[in-house]
Amino acid sequence: MKTITLTPAQIRGLKLAKKGDLFPREANKWTHRDASITYAKNDRFQERPQKIKFLTSATLDTLLEFGLLRSLDSDGGTQEAAHGITMAGKMWLLKNK
């Protein structure tokens, strides 16, 4: 069995995909469907927004090549279709991080 070595950005992208399906955004970024700026739970006055987590198209393509993510659209429109994590991606996260 071939071991896959991922960069920290690819690991963050895989963890983001584990939390939910990824949808395209502007400027070659992918994130959750209804992602919005949130505030820290321990911040009483909600003054410090937490940024939306995203991954780039290049990272997405690399994870697709490794078979850790898959397109949820079976028709083949991979550029605009949502993407989800595969069982191989979940197993990689369990073994490595």
Side-chain angles (χ1 to χ4, degrees), residues 11 14 28 34-35 51 64 78-80 83 87 89 95:
I11 294 170
L14 195 58
N28 290 330
D34 297 325
K51 294 182 181 178
L64 283 170
T78 58
Q79 292 299 353
E80 297 301 321
H83 289 76
M87 186 56 73
K95 290 179 182 177

Side-chain angles (χ1 to χ4, degrees), residues 56-74:
T56 62
S57 293
T59 304
L60 180 83
D61 292 340
T62 305
L63 293 173
L64 283 170
E65 289 175 16
F66 288 147
L68 302 176
L69 294 181
R70 63 177 167 79
S71 174
L72 299 178
D73 182 20
S74 60

Side-chain angles (χ1 to χ4, degrees), residues 8-56:
Q10 292 168 341
I11 294 170
R12 285 191 303 269
L14 195 58
K15 287 180 179 179
L16 183 66
K18 185 180 178 189
K19 292 180 182 178
D21 297 335
L22 302 174
F23 294 87
R25 295 282 186 212
E26 67 282 343
N28 290 330
K29 294 181 180 179
W30 293 75
T31 189
H32 301 291
R33 180 183 297 264
D34 297 325
S36 61
I37 295 175
T38 59
Y39 297 92
K41 291 184 180 192
N42 59 357
D43 189 2
R44 282 182 38 201
F45 302 106
Q46 297 185 350
E47 295 173 352
R48 292 170 282 165
Q50 294 178 335
K51 294 182 181 178
I52 298 172
K53 294 181 181 180
F54 66 90
L55 76 141
T56 62

